[in-house]
Coordinates of all heavy atoms in Angstrom, one line a residue:
M10 N 98.4 81.2 -105.1 CA 97.1 80.7 -104.5 C 96.2 80.5 -105.8 O 96.2 81.2 -106.6 CB 96.4 81.7 -103.7 CG 95.0 81.4 -103.2 SD 94.3 82.6 -102.1 CE 95.2 82.6 -100.7
T11 N 95.6 79.2 -105.7 CA 94.8 78.9 -107.0 C 93.5 79.6 -106.8 O 93.1 80.2 -105.8 CB 94.4 77.4 -106.9 OG1 93.7 77.1 -105.8 CG2 95.7 76.5 -106.9
I12 N 92.7 79.7 -107.9 CA 91.5 80.4 -108.0 C 90.5 79.6 -107.1 O 89.7 80.4 -106.3 CB 90.9 80.4 -109.4 CG1 91.7 81.3 -110.3 CG2 89.5 80.8 -109.4 CD1 91.3 81.3 -111.7
E13 N 90.6 78.3 -107.0 CA 89.6 77.6 -106.0 C 89.8 77.9 -104.7 O 89.0 78.2 -103.8 CB 89.8 76.2 -106.3 CG 89.2 75.6 -107.6 CD 90.0 75.9 -108.8 OE1 91.3 76.1 -108.6 OE2 89.6 75.7 -109.9
A14 N 91.1 78.1 -104.2 CA 91.5 78.5 -102.9 C 91.0 79.8 -102.5 O 90.6 80.1 -101.4 CB 93.1 78.3 -102.7
R15 N 91.2 80.7 -103.5 CA 90.9 82.1 -103.4 C 89.2 82.1 -103.1 O 88.8 82.9 -102.3 CB 91.2 83.0 -104.5 CG 90.9 84.3 -104.5 CD 91.8 85.1 -103.5 NE 91.3 86.6 -103.6 CZ 91.3 87.4 -102.5 NH1 91.7 86.9 -101.3 NH2 91.0 88.5 -102.6
I16 N 88.6 81.4 -103.9 CA 87.2 81.4 -103.8 C 86.8 80.8 -102.4 O 85.8 81.4 -101.8 CB 86.5 80.4 -105.0 CG1 86.6 81.1 -106.2 CG2 84.9 80.1 -104.6 CD1 86.3 80.2 -107.4
R17 N 87.3 79.8 -101.9 CA 87.1 79.3 -100.6 C 87.4 80.4 -99.5 O 86.7 80.6 -98.5 CB 87.9 78.0 -100.3 CG 87.3 76.8 -101.0 CD 88.0 75.6 -100.3 NE 89.4 75.5 -100.5 CZ 90.1 75.1 -101.6 NH1 89.4 74.7 -102.6 NH2 91.5 75.1 -101.6
E18 N 88.5 81.0 -99.6 CA 88.8 82.1 -98.7 C 87.7 83.2 -98.7 O 87.4 83.7 -97.6 CB 90.2 82.7 -99.1 CG 90.7 83.8 -98.2 CD 91.8 84.7 -98.7 OE1 92.5 84.2 -99.7 OE2 92.0 85.9 -98.1
L19 N 87.4 83.6 -99.9 CA 86.4 84.7 -99.9 C 85.2 84.2 -99.4 O 84.4 84.9 -98.8 CB 86.3 85.2 -101.3 CG 87.4 85.9 -102.0 CD1 87.3 86.1 -103.5 CD2 87.7 87.2 -101.2
G20 N 84.7 82.9 -99.7 CA 83.5 82.4 -99.0 C 83.5 82.4 -97.7 O 82.4 82.6 -97.0
N21 N 84.6 82.1 -97.0 CA 84.7 82.0 -95.5 C 84.6 83.4 -95.0 O 83.8 83.6 -94.1 CB 86.1 81.4 -95.1 CG 86.2 80.0 -95.3 OD1 85.2 79.3 -95.4 ND2 87.4 79.5 -95.5
R22 N 85.3 84.3 -95.6 CA 85.1 85.8 -95.2 C 83.7 86.3 -95.4 O 83.1 87.0 -94.5 CB 86.0 86.7 -96.0 CG 87.5 86.4 -95.6 CD 88.6 87.2 -96.5 NE 88.1 88.6 -96.7 CZ 88.7 89.3 -97.6 NH1 89.7 88.8 -98.4 NH2 88.3 90.6 -97.6
H23 N 83.0 85.9 -96.4 CA 81.6 86.3 -96.7 C 80.7 85.6 -95.5 O 79.7 86.4 -95.0 CB 81.2 85.6 -98.1 CG 79.8 86.0 -98.4 ND1 78.6 85.2 -98.2 CD2 79.4 87.0 -99.2 CE1 77.6 85.8 -98.7 NE2 78.0 87.0 -99.4
R24 N 80.9 84.4 -95.2 CA 80.1 83.7 -94.1 C 80.4 84.5 -92.7 O 79.5 84.7 -91.9 CB 80.4 82.3 -93.9 CG 79.7 81.3 -95.0 CD 80.0 79.9 -94.7 NE 81.3 79.5 -94.9 CZ 81.8 79.3 -96.2 NH1 81.1 79.5 -97.3 NH2 83.0 78.9 -96.3
V25 N 81.6 84.9 -92.4 CA 82.0 85.5 -91.2 C 81.2 86.9 -91.2 O 80.7 87.3 -90.1 CB 83.5 85.7 -91.1 CG1 83.9 86.6 -89.9 CG2 84.2 84.4 -90.8
L26 N 81.3 87.6 -92.4 CA 80.5 88.9 -92.4 C 79.1 88.7 -92.2 O 78.5 89.5 -91.5 CB 80.7 89.6 -93.7 CG 82.0 90.4 -93.9 CD1 82.1 90.9 -95.3 CD2 82.0 91.7 -92.9
D27 N 78.5 87.6 -92.8 CA 77.0 87.4 -92.6 C 76.8 87.2 -91.1 O 75.8 87.7 -90.7 CB 76.6 86.2 -93.3 CG 75.2 86.1 -93.5 OD1 74.4 87.0 -93.6 OD2 74.8 84.8 -93.3
Q28 N 77.6 86.4 -90.5 CA 77.4 86.2 -88.9 C 77.5 87.4 -88.2 O 76.8 87.7 -87.3 CB 78.4 85.1 -88.5 CG 78.2 83.7 -89.1 CD 79.3 82.7 -88.8 OE1 80.4 83.2 -88.3 NE2 79.1 81.5 -89.2
T29 N 78.5 88.3 -88.5 CA 78.7 89.6 -87.9 C 77.5 90.5 -88.0 O 77.1 91.1 -87.1 CB 80.0 90.2 -88.4 OG1 81.1 89.5 -88.2 CG2 80.2 91.5 -87.6
I30 N 76.9 90.5 -89.3 CA 75.8 91.3 -89.5 C 74.6 90.8 -88.7 O 74.0 91.6 -88.1 CB 75.4 91.3 -91.1 CG1 76.5 92.0 -91.8 CG2 74.1 91.8 -91.3 CD1 76.5 91.8 -93.4
Q31 N 74.4 89.5 -88.7 CA 73.2 89.0 -87.9 C 73.3 89.3 -86.4 O 72.4 89.6 -85.8 CB 73.3 87.5 -88.1 CG 72.9 86.9 -89.5 CD 71.6 87.6 -90.0 OE1 70.6 87.6 -89.4 NE2 71.6 87.9 -91.3
R32 N 74.6 89.1 -85.8 CA 74.8 89.5 -84.5 C 74.6 90.9 -84.2 O 73.9 91.4 -83.3 CB 76.3 89.3 -84.0 CG 76.5 87.8 -83.5 CD 77.9 87.7 -82.8 NE 78.9 88.3 -83.5 CZ 79.7 87.6 -84.4 NH1 79.4 86.4 -84.7 NH2 80.6 88.2 -85.0
E33 N 75.0 91.8 -85.1 CA 75.0 93.3 -85.1 C 73.4 93.7 -85.1 O 72.9 94.5 -84.3 CB 75.7 94.0 -86.2 CG 75.8 95.3 -86.0 CD 76.8 95.9 -84.9 OE1 77.7 95.2 -84.7 OE2 76.6 96.9 -84.3
M34 N 72.7 93.0 -85.8 CA 71.2 93.3 -86.0 C 70.5 92.9 -84.8 O 69.2 93.4 -84.6 CB 70.7 92.8 -87.3 CG 71.3 93.5 -88.5 SD 70.8 92.9 -90.1 CE 69.1 93.2 -90.1
T35 N 70.9 91.9 -84.0 CA 70.1 91.5 -82.8 C 70.3 92.4 -81.7 O 69.4 92.3 -80.7 CB 70.6 90.1 -82.3 OG1 71.9 90.1 -82.0 CG2 70.4 89.0 -83.4
H36 N 71.2 93.4 -81.7 CA 71.4 94.4 -80.6 C 70.2 95.3 -80.8 O 69.9 95.9 -81.9 CB 72.7 95.0 -80.7 CG 73.8 94.2 -80.4 ND1 74.7 93.7 -81.3 CD2 74.2 93.5 -79.3 CE1 75.6 93.0 -80.7 NE2 75.2 92.8 -79.5
P37 N 69.7 95.8 -79.7 CA 68.5 96.7 -79.7 C 69.0 98.1 -80.4 O 68.3 98.8 -81.0 CB 68.2 97.0 -78.4 CG 68.7 95.9 -77.6 CD 69.8 95.3 -78.4
A38 N 70.2 98.4 -80.0 CA 70.8 99.7 -80.4 C 71.8 99.6 -81.7 O 72.9 100.0 -81.7 CB 71.5 100.4 -79.4
A39 N 71.4 98.6 -82.6 CA 72.3 98.4 -83.7 C 72.7 99.7 -84.5 O 72.0 100.4 -84.7 CB 71.7 97.4 -84.7
D40 N 74.1 99.7 -84.8 CA 74.5 100.9 -85.6 C 74.2 100.6 -87.0 O 74.8 99.8 -87.8 CB 76.1 100.9 -85.3 CG 76.8 102.1 -86.0 OD1 76.0 102.8 -86.8 OD2 77.9 102.4 -85.7
S41 N 73.3 101.3 -87.6 CA 72.7 101.0 -88.9 C 73.9 101.4 -90.0 O 74.0 100.8 -91.1 CB 71.6 101.9 -89.2 OG 71.8 103.3 -89.1
L42 N 74.7 102.5 -89.7 CA 75.8 102.7 -90.6 C 76.8 101.6 -90.6 O 77.3 101.1 -91.7 CB 76.6 103.9 -90.1 CG 77.8 104.4 -90.9 CD1 77.3 104.7 -92.4 CD2 78.4 105.6 -90.3
R43 N 77.1 101.0 -89.5 CA 78.1 99.8 -89.5 C 77.3 98.7 -90.2 O 78.1 97.9 -91.0 CB 78.3 99.5 -88.0 CG 79.2 98.2 -87.9 CD 80.0 98.0 -86.6 NE 80.5 96.7 -86.3 CZ 81.5 96.1 -87.0 NH1 82.0 96.8 -87.9 NH2 82.0 95.0 -86.7
V44 N 76.1 98.4 -90.0 CA 75.5 97.3 -90.6 C 75.5 97.5 -92.2 O 75.8 96.6 -93.0 CB 74.0 97.2 -90.2 CG1 73.2 96.1 -91.0 CG2 74.0 96.7 -88.8
R45 N 75.3 98.7 -92.6 CA 75.3 99.0 -94.1 C 76.7 98.8 -94.7 O 76.9 98.2 -95.7 CB 74.8 100.5 -94.3 CG 74.7 100.8 -95.9 CD 74.1 102.1 -96.0 NE 75.2 103.0 -96.0 CZ 75.1 104.3 -95.6 NH1 73.9 104.8 -95.2 NH2 76.1 105.1 -95.6
E46 N 77.7 99.3 -93.9 CA 79.0 99.0 -94.4 C 79.4 97.5 -94.6 O 80.1 97.1 -95.5 CB 80.1 99.7 -93.4 CG 80.1 101.3 -93.5 CD 80.9 101.9 -92.6 OE1 81.4 101.3 -91.5 OE2 81.0 103.2 -92.6
L47 N 79.0 96.8 -93.4 CA 79.2 95.3 -93.5 C 78.6 94.7 -94.6 O 79.1 93.8 -95.4 CB 78.8 94.7 -92.1 CG 79.6 95.1 -90.9 CD1 78.8 94.6 -89.7 CD2 81.0 94.5 -91.1
K48 N 77.4 95.1 -94.9 CA 76.5 94.5 -96.1 C 77.2 94.8 -97.4 O 77.2 94.2 -98.3 CB 75.1 95.1 -96.1 CG 74.3 94.4 -95.1 CD 72.9 94.9 -95.1 CE 71.9 94.2 -94.0 NZ 70.6 94.5 -94.2
Q49 N 77.7 96.1 -97.5 CA 78.5 96.4 -98.7 C 79.8 95.6 -99.0 O 80.1 95.2 -99.9 CB 78.8 98.0 -98.7 CG 77.6 98.9 -98.8 CD 78.0 100.3 -98.7 OE1 79.0 100.7 -98.1 NE2 77.1 101.1 -99.1
Q50 N 80.4 95.4 -97.8 CA 81.7 94.5 -97.8 C 81.3 93.2 -98.3 O 81.9 92.5 -99.2 CB 82.3 94.4 -96.4 CG 83.0 95.7 -96.1 CD 83.7 95.5 -94.7 OE1 83.8 94.5 -94.2 NE2 83.8 96.7 -94.1
K51 N 80.2 92.6 -97.7 CA 79.6 91.2 -98.1 C 79.4 91.2 -99.5 O 79.6 90.2 -100.3 CB 78.5 91.0 -97.2 CG 77.9 89.5 -97.3 CD 76.8 89.4 -96.6 CE 75.9 88.1 -97.0 NZ 74.7 88.1 -96.2
L52 N 78.7 92.2 -100.1 CA 78.3 92.3 -101.6 C 79.5 92.2 -102.3 O 79.6 91.6 -103.4 CB 77.4 93.5 -101.9 CG 77.0 93.6 -103.3 CD1 76.1 92.5 -103.7 CD2 76.2 95.0 -103.4
R53 N 80.5 93.0 -102.1 CA 81.8 93.0 -102.7 C 82.4 91.7 -102.8 O 82.9 91.2 -103.9 CB 82.8 94.2 -102.2 CG 82.4 95.5 -102.7 CD 83.4 96.6 -102.3 NE 83.8 96.7 -101.0 CZ 83.1 97.5 -100.1 NH1 82.2 98.3 -100.6 NH2 83.5 97.6 -98.9
L54 N 82.4 91.0 -101.7 CA 83.0 89.6 -101.7 C 82.3 88.8 -102.6 O 82.7 88.0 -103.3 CB 82.9 89.1 -100.2 CG 84.1 89.7 -99.2 CD1 83.8 89.1 -97.9 CD2 85.4 89.3 -99.8
K55 N 80.9 88.8 -102.5 CA 80.1 88.0 -103.4 C 80.4 88.4 -104.8 O 80.5 87.3 -105.7 CB 78.6 88.2 -103.0 CG 77.7 87.3 -103.9 CD 77.9 85.9 -103.5 CE 76.8 85.1 -104.3 NZ 77.2 83.7 -104.1
E56 N 80.5 89.5 -105.3 CA 80.8 89.9 -106.6 C 82.2 89.2 -107.1 O 82.4 88.8 -108.1 CB 80.9 91.4 -106.8 CG 79.4 92.0 -106.6 CD 79.5 93.5 -106.6 OE1 80.5 94.1 -106.4 OE2 78.4 94.0 -106.9
Q57 N 83.2 89.3 -106.1 CA 84.4 88.8 -106.4 C 84.4 87.2 -106.5 O 85.0 86.7 -107.5 CB 85.5 89.1 -105.2 CG 86.0 90.5 -105.1 CD 86.9 90.8 -104.0 OE1 87.1 89.9 -103.2 NE2 87.3 92.0 -103.9
I58 N 83.7 86.6 -105.7 CA 83.4 85.1 -105.9 C 82.8 84.8 -107.2 O 83.3 83.9 -107.9 CB 82.6 84.5 -104.6 CG1 83.3 84.8 -103.3 CG2 82.2 83.2 -104.9 CD1 82.6 84.6 -102.1
T59 N 81.7 85.5 -107.5 CA 81.1 85.2 -108.7 C 82.1 85.4 -110.0 O 82.0 84.6 -110.9 CB 79.8 86.2 -108.8 OG1 79.0 85.9 -107.8 CG2 79.0 86.0 -110.1
S60 N 82.7 86.6 -109.9 CA 83.8 86.7 -111.0 C 84.8 85.6 -111.1 O 85.0 85.2 -112.2 CB 84.4 88.1 -110.6 OG 85.4 88.2 -111.6
L61 N 85.3 85.1 -110.0 CA 86.3 84.0 -110.0 C 85.7 82.7 -110.5 O 86.3 82.0 -111.2 CB 87.0 84.0 -108.6 CG 87.9 85.0 -108.2 CD1 88.2 84.9 -106.7 CD2 89.1 85.0 -109.0
E62 N 84.4 82.5 -110.0 CA 83.7 81.3 -110.4 C 83.6 81.3 -111.9 O 83.7 80.3 -112.6 CB 82.4 81.1 -109.7 CG 82.6 80.7 -108.2 CD 81.3 80.7 -107.4 OE1 80.3 81.3 -107.9 OE2 81.3 80.0 -106.4
A63 N 83.3 82.4 -112.5 CA 83.1 82.5 -113.9 C 84.3 82.2 -114.8 O 84.3 81.6 -115.8 CB 82.5 83.9 -114.4
R64 N 85.4 82.5 -114.1 CA 86.7 82.3 -114.8 C 87.0 80.7 -114.8 O 87.9 80.4 -115.5 CB 87.8 83.0 -114.1 CG 87.7 84.6 -114.4 CD 88.7 85.5 -113.7 NE 90.0 84.9 -113.5 CZ 91.0 85.6 -112.7 NH1 90.5 86.7 -112.1 NH2 92.0 85.1 -112.7
T65 N 86.5 80.2 -113.7 CA 86.9 78.6 -113.7 C 85.9 77.7 -114.6 O 86.3 76.6 -114.7 CB 86.8 78.1 -112.2 OG1 85.4 78.1 -111.8 CG2 87.7 78.9 -111.3
H66 N 84.9 78.3 -115.2 CA 84.0 77.5 -116.0 C 84.2 77.9 -117.5 O 84.7 78.5 -118.1 CB 82.6 77.8 -115.6 CG 82.3 77.4 -114.2 ND1 82.2 76.0 -114.0 CD2 82.1 78.0 -113.2 CE1 81.9 75.9 -112.7 NE2 81.8 77.1 -112.2

């Protein structure tokens, strides 16, 4: 898999996590631990994307 393809894949996963977080937060009884874990996953993905993007420039 090329770096560009990996960046796209991670970007897609990042967007899906963002949508999941938004849905989770709209529930009145949102699980704050789950939201925090999802946000941490999203941050790790963003860090991976940034790292890969730096390697392509």
Side-chain angles (χ1 to χ4, degrees):
M10 177 180 298
T11 66
I12 291 177
E13 290 82 9
R15 181 72 175 144
I16 290 170
R17 281 192 304 274
E18 176 196 348
L19 293 173
N21 289 336
R22 289 173 49 194
H23 186 268
R24 280 187 291 283
V25 168
L26 271 174
D27 191 42
Q28 293 167 352
T29 303
I30 290 167
Q31 294 304 318
R32 268 195 316 274
E33 192 71 30
M34 291 177 65
T35 61
H36 294 111
D40 182 350
S41 60
L42 179 60
R43 174 158 166 70
V44 170
R45 189 174 82 211
E46 289 171 352
L47 291 170
K48 286 182 177 183
Q49 288 174 343
Q50 288 176 23
K51 185 179 160 191
L52 178 60
R53 283 192 297 274
L54 286 174
K55 183 62 177 170
E56 290 170 346
Q57 289 176 356
I58 292 167
T59 301
S60 174
L61 288 173
E62 287 175 340
R64 290 171 41 186
T65 63
H66 297 285

